[in-house]
Amino acid sequence: SSSAVKAETTSASSSSAVKAETTSASSSSAVKAETTSASSSSAAKANITSVKTRQNVTKISYNTLLQQLRTSKALAASEDTLTHVTKDNFLDYFSLNGSASYDKNSGVVTITPNRNNQVGNFSLNSKIDMNKSFTLTGQVKLGSDPNGADGIGFAFHSGNTTDMGNAGGNLGIGGLQDAIGFKLDTWNNGYQAPSSDKDGSEILPTDSNGFGWNKDSMNAPYGTFVNTSNQEVKTQDGSMVQRWWAQDTGNPQALSKADIDGKFHNFEVNYDGTTRTLTVSYTQASGKVLTWITTVDSSYQAMSMIISASTGGAKNLQQFKIDDFNFQQAATVNVKYVDIQGNQIAQGIVSYPDGTNVNGTYVTTQLDIPNYTFIKMSDGSLESTGSLTKPGDNGTVIYVYAPAYTATSKTVNETIHYVDQDGKAVAASHIAEQITFLTVTNPVDGSAVVYYSNITTDVSLDKETGAPTATGWTKATSADFSEVANPVVKGYTITSNDAPNSDLKSVAVQTVYINSSDLDFTVVYTKDAPTVTTENKTVNETIHYVYKDGTTAHDDYVATPVEFTRQVSTDAVTGEKTYGSWSADQSFAAVTSPAIKGYTPDQAEIG
């Protein structure tokens, strides 16, 4: 008499199993399905029966139910592939970080001890297949101080399983990529603009002030879903920076200060992989169960999970106690973008063209990161594209980058001119081997290293270290031009030298720096005075007395010689001589020829 199907869903905190019963009756074509949760069972059964509706009744078509029945065997089989986490194998599937510690006997994770300025979290080592349902049941303890801080955050995100969100007002959710988070917030936070101008991926998880946080949507304590989105956020100094910015979403609900009573309270996360509905429930100290529901977009195929808490100037003992966690491991890889020291510098997403399944493929991309240049894949890294060989974490693709070092060079010259007083060159100018300064700048931190060389001007850099690759470079911020002896120029004397710290013998060592201008010095030579000498000339007078046949008639007369002088000026450079006038004329005295008996001189007197 009926073609409608009634489905009833009930929830009990003591149960994580699903039972479905289907029976048939010859008198009826109606089908009623009931789903309940019971801790005593994890098997899936199909049976048609009639049940009373406790909460909501949903009508679905008969064809839809038949399709569900056809897949019931597959669903039952898939149960065997679920990963079951309890307190006994917790550390096989989760990693503890920061202040977090684990007690295997009780199944309690102490995320933060009751101390100030603590940051702790635990993260799932593999991603969750978001096409499959999962359930996490346990209890949370928010501490015993109603005025304590900060609370506990739960997040599912698209990043690496090793990614950590930012602490403080972000409760470990801000900073995670495309996160769908939930928080039990115990501290009122106003808007905090980032104090750091670095991109979010470079901010340490503990540096909440550097990262910044959004304003709470209501007064603490309260619970709400939190999503992150990739935003440009204005810093305290007015610059814009990238952040995966966490913002409250959905319907925040107030908790009571009485919930911060030092006791554990039931906490459950249920996800329906078919409807992609995420339901979070929390049992207050009063016994009231608060429920939050959101829908996970179909684009989320595999997600990492992290649970975190932090304290600051206020504190609390914040703990999580696991009862049971059942989920389907996705076959995934992580991708990291790091500098040569291994520090994260960017975040990226892995794509899975065939889904996050064993024997499927993964694809990562080399990013263009401002101020960095890609240099290599890290040792031990997976290939950038490859196959998925097992469920869970298949490894990590690691791209290594170095700062995109920039090289700027400047050449400094030294020239020395040798001139006379009129500026005319008296010797060839001295041109020193030029000194080239090379400044290598790290654009990431703004640091710079200076080198110099008088051998090479090749400014090629090693991509990894930023050091010059050509030989001949010396790391120093200054360099010296050597001392230069002034040349000796014939006929000249050096009278001035304008080079600093120098004398008339040489141009001293000159130290130059990256900001120095070319050096240009002048050494002035003055022409030497000509050499003046005195030239002497002696004039003699001799009178010979002879007979006509030439024989000697009388002794010769030798007068006293007459001396003449003149000055000679010799040019110091050319050697050219300039002659002065001789001294005044002089006369020899008159000489009477001697008397020789019988002879008469042809000249009675020489005048």
Side-chain angles (χ1 to χ4, degrees), residues 15-63:
S15 170
S16 63
V18 176
K19 296 182 177 179
E21 296 189 357
T22 306
T23 63
S24 66
S26 61
S27 60
S28 173
S29 60
V31 178
K32 298 180 180 180
E34 178 187 18
T35 302
T36 63
S37 179
S39 61
S40 61
S41 173
S42 62
K45 299 180 179 179
N47 197 8
I48 297 179
T49 186
S50 175
V51 298
K52 292 181 180 180
T53 302
R54 294 179 56 191
Q55 293 181 351
N56 298 324
V57 176
T58 304
K59 294 182 179 181
I60 61 175
S61 72
Y62 185 66
N63 287 335

Side-chain angles (χ1 to χ4, degrees), residues 422-464:
D422 298 324
K424 183 179 178 181
V426 297
S429 296
H430 171 80
I431 300 176
E433 291 286 348
Q434 62 184 14
I435 294 175
T436 300
F437 286 99
L438 174 64
T439 302
V440 179
T441 303
N442 182 330
V444 177
D445 59 17
S447 63
V449 179
V450 178
Y451 302 82
Y452 82 87
S453 176
N454 55 10
I455 299 174
T456 181
T457 57
D458 185 344
V459 297
S460 302
L461 302 179
D462 182 280
K463 285 186 176 181
E464 186 169 343

Side-chain angles (χ1 to χ4, degrees), residues 58 152 195 236-237 247 270 304 328 395 402 415 423 435 519 545 583:
T58 304
I152 300 178
S195 63
Q236 294 176 8
D237 63 9
Q247 295 174 293
N270 286 293
S304 302
Q328 180 75 47
T415 304
I435 294 175
L519 305 183
Y545 301 103
S583 55

Side-chain angles (χ1 to χ4, degrees), residues 13 256 258-259 261 264-266 282-290:
S13 62
S256 170
D259 294 329
D261 56 3
F264 282 103
H265 296 268
N266 289 338
Y282 169 77
T283 303
Q284 294 186 273
S286 64
K288 180 181 178 180
V289 179
L290 300 178

